[in-house]
Amino acid sequence: MPQTIAFYDRVDHALHDSSLQTALHRATSRFIGNRASAISALGDADRLRDQARAIRAHALAHLDELLPQLAANVEARGGHVCWASDGEEARQYIIELAHARGVRSIVKSKSMASEEIHLNEALEAAGFEVIETDLGEYIIQLAGETPSHIIAPAIHKTREQVSELFQQHLGMPPTTEVPLMIRTARQALRQRFLQADMGISGVNFGVADSGAIVIVENEGNARLSTTVPRIHVAIMGIERIVARLADLGVMLQVLARSATGQKLSVYTSLISGPARPGEEDGPEEFHLVLLDNGRSQILGGQYAESLLCIRCGACLNACPVYQAIGGHAYGSVYSGPIGAILTPLLQPDLPDAHLLPQASSLCGACQEVCPVRIAIPDMLLRHRADAVKAGKVNPVEKVAIAGYTLTMTHPAIYNAGGKAGRFFSRILARKGHFRRLPPPLHLWTKQRDFPALPPKSFRELWAERKNQRRSSS
Amino acid sequence: MTTGRRRAILFATCIVDQLYPTVGLAAAELLEQQGIDVDVPSDLLCCGQMAFNAGFRDDAYAVAGRTLEVLRGKGDVVMPSGSCAAMIRHLYHELFAHTPFAGMAAELAHRTYELSEYLVDGLGVTDVGARFNGRITYHDACHGLRFLGVGKQARALLSRVQGAEVVPLPGCDQCCGFGGLFAIKQHTISTAMLDRKIEAIASTEADLVVTGDVSCMTQIAGGLSRRNIPTRARHLAEVLANMVDAR
Ligand code: SF4
């Protein structure tokens, strides 16, 4: 999505895109239903979520010990660690490595961190052939798009649209039968796995005490990407760490149940370095890129809680705004409620970043489903306060709020305002409603009526009632 | 809660005061029925939520600070709005953190209640002698539901309304799209959310859609009447105080 289109235009575009609406509705309702039954099947979901939060909070509080521990354990097993303070350093490390090892073809499994640093573009510009192997990622790569959901990158596409893409790019005969479509993609991808010199993956959890990284998936493509090519590069946001292997019991459960509604993902891979002497499977080289890219700035501040996120995507599915506009309308790498928190922090140069936290009714559905109970609405409110402090405010709104504050701190003005409102209401309202209001309230009455003001306010009626009672007693 | 002859402040909120006086009267009546002396301070205006939600914290501080002063030293505060009660209970903490008002805000949060919560959890009543001949469905307003845990109380109260058939609302906990200034600033998203809510309400063929927040009620009622759907939106208090005509 080009960034030149303003946020509001993207929103309108999304609201009028009927394929998008169909795709979003189908997918988010399925996700919501699956999550709800998987969580209720737990019986004690609340306790598990509390534990998950505690595990993540502990990890963040001890990042300064756990990250070096993870790195030392990875290196002890023959792996390499790159500390990348930003996207540029990460890209450079990977590109230099690929050049040095004579890499030509690269397979990737899903990684939002790689999206965050725009790795694909950089690798392609450096002359490497890059293929996404997660089915959803593969679809959007064919379409030349970016993911619109953390765990379901092609959620915005209907089956019919995917079929067209496959017909066009892979020569598939016309069909919308899912097994056939999957088989087509699998055949196209198989060759790529075998040719690839390097596999790049994301990381769901880095485990400090054992030096392992954990990748969960349902298609087996991550397992292939990390074992078949001779070099494996894993990119991990520095916050995605847990202290102990024993923590995974809780984390994997809440992740799978919150993300897809599964008890566990189909494949859970624990990778701890390259193949050891005598081992047949596994890459010759393993590199772990620890990506900061703004995260250490968030630590300890008023948005620190956002680093607890395990990228399950549940808040996106539950969000009525996301359900209405999808991920691309946000224009950012991370979309939905958690994206609205992270984007102003991780992509501060995005011109519309400050608008994303505005695109919320603060309903709290996100916090309700979040497996680590992140207080997303509170942080949206903090972003709004930051935007006001930074002067990123609509001038009409500024005037409106000034008027509001004056009114609500002066009973005399409040009462006079009420009287004036009731006067205009008597003249302009019809049958108990306003069908049209002057700007900026016309934005309300475009699709909604507004109630006429009653002849008397509650406090006027209350005062009258009190007087009557006094005189009758 | 205080004991003996009970007193409570009815904080009717600015929207009830200006747009829905019957909701205020209904709430007062329900409390008086339970033997509560109801006090409505004449200079009590607004909780400050509009400014706070828009990010104007200095403005919110001025409005809410004044409200803190007005409510200082008074007894229980009852509000016919989950959203405004949540502002006081949940958000004043952050608004007044590290200010001289922090202690007062915490103290106020402890004695502030949403109406249905006060009736059911506080006073232990569910049957308030209400009658309504018709079909009712209930919309969970978000802030009451998610920040105060209100919902079961309203359902308990509605289940005792004589003559009423209470039917479930599909997606009852899905936001109606109001969200304060969001309803205007992001009006296209807001009304897309409203469309879904209206569709669900229409599917119940209810006479009334009842909710505990007048802001959501304004959004829903505005959508219903614009789309000529006969279901009427009413506040829970109006139904409980027999202030809704059968039609
Ligand atoms: S914020 Fe919570 S619900 Fe949203 S993706 Fe992160 S962990 Fe999942």
Side-chain angles (χ1 to χ4, degrees), chain A residues 430-437 441 444-452, chain B residues 20 194 217-228:
Chain A
R430 296 275 172 277
K431 291 187 186 159
H433 298 292
F434 291 96
R435 304 284 290 193
R436 288 168 76 177
L437 283 166
L441 296 176
W444 178 281
T445 46
K446 267 187 169 179
Q447 300 216 38
R448 292 159 288 202
D449 293 340
F450 192 80
Chain B
Y20 303 104
L194 176 61
M217 194 170 106
T218 307
Q219 166 94 343
I220 292 172
L224 288 170
S225 74
R226 180 63 61 92
R227 289 157 188 74
N228 294 317

Side-chain angles (χ1 to χ4, degrees), chain A residues 150-151 255 258-259 305-306 308-316 337-339 342 366-367 369-374 376:
Chain A
I150 316 175
I151 67 153
L255 176 57
S258 306
E305 235 186 283
S306 65
L308 297 172
C309 174
I310 58 171
R311 304 280 191 271
C312 72
C315 60
L316 281 66
I338 189 64
L342 291 175
C366 46
Q367 183 170 358
V369 297
C370 177
V372 287
R373 302 185 189 281
I374 298 177
I376 294 173

Side-chain angles (χ1 to χ4, degrees), chain A residues 323 363 382 405 414 449 459, chain B residues 17 42 59 196 225-226:
Chain A
Q323 287 168 16
C363 76
R382 286 177 206 149
T405 306
Y414 176 90
D449 293 340
R459 284 169 330 130
Chain B
D17 186 42
S42 64
D59 294 79
R196 291 175 56 176
S225 74
R226 180 63 61 92

Side-chain angles (χ1 to χ4, degrees), chain A residues 53-67 238-243 295 298-300 303-309 374:
Chain A
R53 185 182 168 96
I55 288 168
R56 295 287 298 127
H58 172 87
L60 290 183
H62 297 87
L63 220 46
D64 54 340
E65 302 151 34
L66 296 178
L67 281 170
I238 53 166
E239 86 285 16
R240 303 294 294 278
I241 198 164
V242 293
R295 287 163 173 77
I298 303 175
L299 266 179
Y303 303 104
E305 235 186 283
S306 65
L307 296 177
L308 297 172
C309 174
I374 298 177

Side-chain angles (χ1 to χ4, degrees), chain A residues 321-375:
Chain A
V321 173
Y322 181 90
Q323 287 168 16
I325 65 175
H328 283 157
Y330 289 77
S332 50
V333 173
Y334 298 104
S335 61
I338 189 64
I341 307 290
L342 291 175
T343 303
L345 305 171
L346 298 181
Q347 294 184 276
D349 298 335
L350 208 67
D352 293 342
H354 68 286
L355 290 177
L356 305 187
Q358 306 285 348
S360 165
S361 65
L362 304 170
C363 76
C366 46
Q367 183 170 358
E368 188 177 64
V369 297
C370 177
V372 287
R373 302 185 189 281
I374 298 177

